[in-house]
Every structure is written in structure tokens, then in C-alpha cells.
Amino acid sequence: AQSVTQLDSHVSVSEGTPVLLRCNYSSSYSPSLFWYVQHPNKGLQLLLKYTSAATLVKGINGFEAEFKKSETSFHLTKPSAHMSDAAEYFCVVRRAGSYQLTFGKGTKLSVIP
Amino acid sequence: DAGVIQSPRHEVTEMGQEVTLRCKPISGHDYLFWYRQTMMRGLELLIYFNNNVPIDDSGMPEDRFSAKMPNASFSTLKIQPSEPRDSAVYFCASSLEVSEQFFGPGTRLTVL
């Protein structure tokens, strides 16, 4: 079985300061990991993905995430938050060879001007 | 490409009525997924298709829910009869083989 735990349901940062959204996963097999973003009343958009290549993954809009197998973590970071980053972020795991995604509960990011 | 298209974007209906949600996947994608998003349960996979064939419907909550994919460019999710607890946002997603899934904008369903 696989699961995803997003450690914070809500994160608030000031514009221009770093963003850290935490995610831990559990998977019996070598997983693929994803971060999706959902803006209000919109669908989910892929930010970045890890599929057993480089452990530091760069995504769109300046986001990146580091896969740490020893810590079973896949935290999402951005050096400087922008107002347009305010949204809900989902950490997602997919077991190797499977098409099914398991979603975390989501972290709502607020950006304060 | 226009991306995954879903209709309607919003649906309000009364308990007991039939509801049909529609999805057009990205052209060329061979996998189609239906998800439900609620505050209580987050995002849940309901069913997915490969080449128009249902592969896993274990996430479909009850027999009131059914899904079809008559061709590669169209799928429906039907709820009959609908109940207030079915109120949620329903997402359709598509993918090409084992790759990232592209999500539609969702249908917000309210059952009164």
C-alpha cells in the first residue's frame, strides 16, 4: 500500500520569502512522486515530477523538490514567494508500474503582501 | 491542444435526479481517469479506462454511479439517483501510457 502525508494543512508566507511545503510518503515499491497545484475553482496542474532520475527536480514557476529516500520525503520549495503562488498544493505518489495516483490531503499556501 | 474538457462546469440538481458529467480527454491519450474531490476525503480515484475499456472501478462508491467510454474522445460519469452526499467536485484526467495525468477544470456538483 502507498500513502502520502502532507505535514501542514495551511502555510502562510510573506511575498518574497522562501516557501517550504512538506510531504512524506510511504510506498512498497520504487515510487514516482509528483506535486500538483490547484488554484481556486481550477483543475490541477502538474508542477514537477520525480521518476527515479535526478533527486533534485525542477518544475515550473521556480518550484523545485528534492527526493530523499532515507527520509521518505519529497518537500516542495521555492526561494521567493509570489502573490500568484497562493493556491492549494498536492503531493502525489504513484507506485512503479501502476497508473493509480494517491493524493495527499493538500496544503493551502497563502502569500501575504 | 485545448486540454481536458469537462462539462458542465457547475451542476445543481435535486435529490433523486439523474446527473451526467461529461469529459473529452486530450487527443491521443489512452488513459482516462475520473476523480472526486471533497473536503472530507480529499481526491479519490473513482474509475479509470485504458483504450476505452474500464480497468479498475473499485473506487466507485455505489451502484448508483456508472461510467462509460464509448470512444476515445468521450466519457461520461452518471449518478442515478443522486443524493446530497454526492455533492463534490468531479475531475476527469487523461494520460499517455505511464506518464503524468492532465486534469480538466472539474464539474462542481451540488445535490439539494
Side-chain angles (χ1 to χ4, degrees):
Chain A
Q2 53 197 23
S3 65
V4 177
T5 301
Q6 292 185 242
L7 298 166
D8 305 293
S9 59
H10 191 187
V11 170
S12 185
V13 301
S14 298
E15 190 176 17
T17 64
V19 175
L20 170 64
L21 305 183
R22 299 182 293 166
C23 172
N24 286 106
Y25 70 91
S26 171
S27 179
S28 303
Y29 302 91
S30 299
S32 294
L33 293 157
F34 308 81
W35 277 98
Y36 280 84
V37 60
Q38 184 180 26
H39 288 91
N41 300 315
K42 301 285 187 183
L44 285 84
Q45 179 185 19
L46 181 69
L47 271 181
L48 50 80
K49 63 179 179 179
Y50 165 78
T51 55
S52 75
T55 57
L56 182 62
V57 182
K58 293 188 183 299
I60 61 172
N61 300 334
F63 284 94
E64 62 181 38
E66 186 172 7
F67 174 71
K68 292 187 176 181
K69 187 174 181 179
S70 61
E71 299 176 9
T72 61
S73 70
F74 190 58
H75 300 335
L76 181 71
T77 60
K78 182 174 181 177
S80 176
H82 191 272
M83 294 300 295
S84 61
D85 295 328
E88 189 153 21
Y89 292 78
F90 293 91
C91 183
V92 183
V93 62
R94 185 184 71 201
R95 196 183 75 180
S98 171
Y99 300 96
Q100 296 194 18
L101 303 180
T102 300
F103 285 79
K105 294 293 187 185
T107 298
K108 185 175 181 180
L109 175 65
S110 298
V111 181
I112 304 167
Chain B
D1 198 313
V4 175
I5 299 172
Q6 291 187 247
S7 64
R9 292 294 309 276
H10 301 273
E11 176 80 32
V12 180
T13 190
E14 293 188 347
M15 183 174 64
Q17 296 298 306
E18 177 180 296
V19 175
T20 300
L21 311 181
R22 297 173 177 80
C23 176
K24 176 179 169 56
I26 293 172
S27 178
H29 282 189
D30 54 352
Y31 282 85
L32 184 139
F33 306 81
W34 281 101
Y35 291 89
R36 179 172 67 175
Q37 184 180 36
T38 62
M39 290 291 291
M40 292 294 293
R41 300 173 68 92
L43 270 152
E44 304 172 282
L45 177 66
L46 299 177
I47 185 172
Y48 75 94
F49 296 81
N50 175 222
N51 292 324
N52 314 336
V53 176
I55 302 300
D56 186 349
D57 65 354
S58 60
M60 296 284 262
E62 300 172 33
D63 291 344
R64 297 185 296 107
F65 286 69
S66 62
K68 294 182 179 179
M69 193 165 185
N71 57 62
S73 59
F74 184 65
S75 177
T76 60
L77 177 68
K78 186 175 293 187
I79 309 173
Q80 165 62 19
S82 58
E83 297 182 3
R85 59 195 169 114
D86 302 331
S87 297
V89 181
Y90 291 82
F91 287 103
C92 177
S94 70
S95 72
L96 178 62
E97 299 179 346
V98 187
S99 65
E100 63 263 31
Q101 295 179 20
F102 292 83
F103 284 75
T107 294
R108 183 174 295 276
L109 173 65
T110 302
V111 183
L112 303 175

